[in-house]
Amino acid sequence: MRLFLFGIGNFVFMNYSAELKKFVTSQYVYSAIRITLATVLPCVVLAHFGILKDYFLFPLGTSFVALTDQPGPFIRRRNSLAFAIVCFNLVALIASLVMDFKALVLLEIIVFGMFFSLIGVYGQRLAAVGSLSLVVMAIFIDGHLTGSNILKSLLIFASGCFWFLFIFLVVSTIQPYKLASQMIGENYLQLGEFLRIKANFYQKNPDFNKLTSQIIAKQIEIKNLQEDTRETVFKTRTIVNESTTTSRLLMLMFLNSMDLHEKLMTSESDYQKLQKSFEKSRILVNIHDYLNLLSEEITNIGIALQSGTRAKPVFNLDEEVNKLNTRYLKLRNKHMSSQNLENYMILRQILLRINEITKEINEIYKVFSQNIKLAKSLSTGLDLRKFLPNQEKINFRVLKNNISLSSSHFRHAIRITIALLLGYLFSLFQFLGIGHTYWILITITAILKPAYSITKQRNLLRFYGTVVGAIIAYIILHFVDSNPILFAILLLSMILCFSLLKGKYFWAVLFMTIYVFMAFNFLSPGNIDIIFKDRILDTLIAGIIAFLVSYIVLPVWEHTQNLDLMKQSAADNLIYFESVISKFLKGDFDIEDYKVKRKNAIISLANLSDNFQRMISDPKNQQKKLEVVHQFVATSHLITAYTASLSQYSKNKEQYPEIDAQSWSRKIEAEMNQTSLLLSGDQIDETLKMESRLEPEDSFIENLLLKRKTEIEENDEFSDKINPNKMSHLAELKNIHDVLELIYDVAKEQRKVIEKYKAETTPPQS
């Protein structure tokens, strides 16, 4: 018992240790430390000479430019930082010149509010520049921080902006591969979490609905991260074109992560049937435990990539996988019969996939040996340009086309402009005692997002984080008098704030509030009570304004996006399936074409899933056809996963003439085409209905299976050895047949879901 408790405690400790390492080595902490040091070091120097209060705009400019630095290729990052500096200083200049003329201030809010919100059509990078430009406008709008010498203040602010650009150029020159390595490492960390969720399907009495939702949510995260990483790796010249060992190995590691993701998807099975078939055995629990070991190994690889160290295996995977195969063999020899043969075939297929994943992980570990021959021989044979994410080119036509109420970007620009106008007008009411106009405007800019669901969520998190952070800061400043301790708290709060800003908004706001309180205490000691009151009041006012505007002014509800996203997902899944089935039809397989179509299918599925998740946060009356859309998302996920499973047979050299691929292709594609036609509002051709009812000629497989069952009945003993990396031809045929049947069943179910969706959407005719 003591040994068992020790083992549990050790496992928990390892998990906490891994989580800490994941956080500490991440790009977010690395970036946060860089931003904090770039911001604080000048403050220390200025404070040493007693002029920090006069030059406070220097670190402010540094932090603003730093926050626009989004992960990506060096050239894009450098250009966006330069563009941010131009925008920030132009906005600061105009805001400072017109601050005494209220009519011009209102015009300024309208022009800047519309323009800097609309440039978000060019992607997240410029959207960040636009949002921070509005924050700069808020800072300079009332002259609270500029003082009487405007020119001096603007020069100080500009110097702070250029200071971060200088830091960025120096760090990027010293560590050109750091960001790419960290982002690739994060891909592996996400894959480790993905496998950990999948492992739970094999535990006792799993909650299938909950786990499916978690899988879909994780797919969204993986897709978004892969898109960012793909751009960083493929578009960074030093990564793609340099013949250095490091650049080639990083490229190999990223491509391996993509293939590993597919292998993890191919392990999709009928888990409910599996649980029922082996409920009296411990084999599924053994699989669950081994998958968790694999998850830890993938996590270990991710941490090593993030930290820039060489990864060493945590476990002896060969030994562990042999134990798992042996347990299966013993179970098979003891309990397999002609009645349950097919169940053991399914289990054998799962073990084969697990062995393939194990082999893949072992190969990835070999890459960490930094083998120069391996690096030099790396040739993907792929046209990498085809894998780059689509991005709008920066030209006026794109902006012009979005100046319409049909554009969600234009609607968002109107909302944020109206909200900023209301926030500014509110601050003019002196009887409310509002001391900091810019706090209201900054909070509105931070909270108000294009999607109502995100605005709603951020609103609550912003308020809770501000209140809790303000209380903690208030307590600290009342009981701590030591400036070195307060300075250490300031540094730690800044690092944690910038580290958590992307994923943990509540905690980011909490630590932001703490460091703001610390900063103002250093600048103006003794005003903590006023700062506390103003911070809470301004956040509350801004939150109310943002919520009302997002709900009332030209809202874009997520349900309006569902139909287009469903069409795209259905179309890309069909194309993906056609690419995979082509091996069975033509005997050849275009790996590059396949990977492009796999990428498109996964992206479309993630976009649809992401939209559905946001729709859940919309008001109840705007959650149109929620259950139907949920069913479509679930079936789309299964079609993608089962198609990925089928692709494993397309990529090997084996031929499967016994499979009636022609009939299966026509049958499945007929169902999927019917779904696409229903989504487009077109009539379904009777030919498609007929083809969907085709009966493939798979009697040869049934005969082989019957023959095998007869052999089992006549022979009580089975071979006590199996090849863990190879299945019998019959087992492969049976699994291909089962996967095709699963794809058809899910495609048929999806078609029925859309029939229901269209029936509920179409108004009855009078």
Side-chain angles (χ1 to χ4, degrees), residues 339-528:
Q339 285 76 32
N340 60 23
L341 171 63
E342 294 176 41
N343 294 335
Y344 279 88
M345 281 185 167
I346 294 171
L347 193 58
R348 183 73 190 90
Q349 170 71 10
I350 291 170
L351 288 174
L352 180 64
R353 295 289 173 248
I354 290 173
N355 279 283
E356 288 175 352
I357 294 169
T358 304
K359 185 179 178 182
E360 184 82 19
I361 292 172
N362 284 331
E363 288 297 318
I364 290 169
Y365 271 120
K366 288 181 182 178
V367 173
F368 276 98
S369 66
Q370 297 289 308
N371 186 298
I372 296 175
K373 288 184 178 179
L374 173 65
K376 288 184 177 180
S377 66
L378 171 62
S379 176
T380 65
L382 303 176
D383 183 357
L384 300 180
R385 292 170 298 179
K386 294 182 179 180
F387 296 87
L388 288 171
N390 295 323
Q391 287 197 329
E392 295 282 8
K393 293 182 179 180
I394 298 180
N395 58 57
F396 180 71
R397 181 181 55 80
V398 175
L399 191 66
K400 182 181 177 182
N401 290 342
N402 275 275
I403 301 178
S404 164
L405 287 178
S406 61
S407 166
S408 59
H409 291 283
F410 187 70
R411 286 171 169 245
H412 171 62
I414 292 174
R415 283 196 299 275
I416 203 163
T417 302
I418 291 174
L420 290 172
L421 285 170
L422 290 173
Y424 178 72
L425 292 173
F426 230 91
S427 69
L428 299 179
F429 296 125
Q430 297 297 324
F431 67 88
L432 291 173
I434 297 172
H436 304 91
T437 302
Y438 57 86
W439 274 358
I440 295 177
L441 302 185
I442 290 172
T443 304
I444 287 172
T445 304
I447 290 175
L448 202 55
K449 298 299 174 185
Y452 168 85
S453 56
I454 300 176
T455 300
K456 174 185 172 183
Q457 183 186 39
R458 284 210 164 199
N459 211 331
L460 294 172
L461 294 177
R462 182 90 180 187
F463 182 72
Y464 295 150
T466 298
V467 171
V468 176
I471 292 171
I472 293 172
Y474 191 85
I475 293 171
I476 291 171
L477 290 172
H478 265 282
F479 289 98
V480 179
D481 295 325
S482 171
N483 281 338
I485 294 176
L486 291 176
F487 185 69
I489 293 172
L490 170 65
L491 280 179
L492 182 62
S493 298
M494 287 187 76
I495 292 171
L496 289 172
C497 169
F498 295 134
S499 301
L500 300 167
L501 198 55
K502 186 173 181 179
K504 307 287 183 182
Y505 192 67
F506 166 80
W507 292 102
V509 172
L510 184 149
F511 289 114
M512 180 194 299
T513 305
I514 293 174
Y515 89 66
V516 166
F517 271 68
M518 299 296 124
F520 274 96
N521 180 69
F522 280 113
L523 289 172
S524 183
N527 291 332
I528 185 65

Side-chain angles (χ1 to χ4, degrees), residues 116-348:
F116 287 115
S117 299
L118 273 174
I119 62 174
V121 300
Y122 297 115
Q124 287 297 318
R125 201 176 303 280
L126 289 191
V129 173
S131 294
L132 269 296
S133 296
L134 295 178
V135 172
V136 171
M137 180 188 73
I139 291 291
F140 286 88
I141 203 164
D142 60 0
H144 188 83
L145 297 179
T146 53
S148 56
N149 194 335
I150 293 175
L151 181 60
K152 177 185 175 183
S153 296
L154 292 175
L155 287 174
I156 293 170
F157 180 73
S159 301
C161 293
F162 280 105
W163 167 246
F164 183 80
L165 179 60
F166 171 74
I167 294 292
F168 165 77
L169 293 173
V170 170
V171 172
S172 298
T173 303
I174 296 172
Q175 295 183 308
Y177 303 117
K178 186 64 177 178
L179 178 61
S181 181
Q182 287 177 321
M183 293 183 74
I184 296 168
E186 192 177 347
N187 273 268
Y188 281 94
L189 295 179
Q190 291 290 344
L191 292 177
E193 292 179 16
F194 181 77
L195 182 55
R196 192 171 292 115
I197 297 170
K198 296 213 74 170
N200 290 331
F201 280 106
Y202 297 94
Q203 66 184 353
K204 289 291 185 183
N205 303 315
D207 185 338
F208 294 107
N209 291 331
K210 180 181 177 182
L211 290 174
T212 300
S213 297
Q214 289 176 351
I215 284 286
I216 292 172
K218 183 55 64 178
Q219 284 277 38
I220 297 169
E221 291 183 52
I222 291 173
K223 167 260 175 182
N224 291 335
L225 180 59
Q226 284 179 345
E227 286 295 279
D228 292 339
T229 309
R230 185 182 288 114
E231 184 191 24
T232 300
V233 175
F234 290 178
K235 280 199 173 181
T236 300
R237 186 176 299 276
T238 54
I239 301 295
V240 177
N241 293 336
E242 276 190 13
S243 58
T244 64
T245 302
T246 303
S247 66
R248 288 174 175 263
L249 289 175
L250 283 177
M251 174 65 79
L252 179 60
M253 290 298 292
F254 177 61
L255 294 175
N256 281 349
S257 76
M258 303 287 283
D259 291 334
L260 180 59
H261 179 214
E262 184 186 52
K263 281 186 169 66
L264 296 182
M265 287 180 65
T266 62
S267 57
E268 196 68 44
S269 301
D270 188 340
Y271 296 109
Q272 292 182 339
K273 180 181 178 181
L274 204 63
Q275 288 282 352
K276 188 176 180 180
S277 301
F278 296 97
E279 60 183 350
K280 295 181 181 179
S281 165
R282 282 190 55 81
I283 189 65
L284 296 185
V285 175
N286 296 146
I287 292 175
H288 166 268
D289 294 343
Y290 182 71
L291 289 179
N292 275 321
L293 293 187
L294 291 182
S295 172
E296 287 188 45
E297 293 289 4
I298 296 171
T299 299
N300 182 51
I301 292 169
I303 292 171
L305 275 165
Q306 285 194 160
S307 60
T309 59
R310 293 188 183 184
K312 295 181 180 180
V314 181
F315 306 99
N316 186 334
L317 290 183
D318 291 334
E319 181 181 322
E320 295 296 332
V321 78
N322 285 337
K323 287 180 184 178
L324 182 62
N325 288 323
T326 302
R327 289 188 181 109
Y328 163 76
L329 185 60
K330 288 180 179 178
L331 181 70
R332 168 183 174 271
N333 291 344
K334 187 175 181 180
H335 295 290
M336 191 175 79
S337 66
S338 59
Q339 285 76 32
N340 60 23
L341 171 63
E342 294 176 41
N343 294 335
Y344 279 88
M345 281 185 167
I346 294 171
L347 193 58
R348 183 73 190 90

Side-chain angles (χ1 to χ4, degrees), residues 623-641:
Q623 295 178 7
K624 310 288 187 182
K625 311 292 182 291
L626 185 68
E627 184 57 36
V628 175
V629 176
H630 179 252
Q631 290 174 332
F632 187 89
V633 171
T635 51
S636 294
H637 168 75
L638 288 174
I639 290 173
T640 306

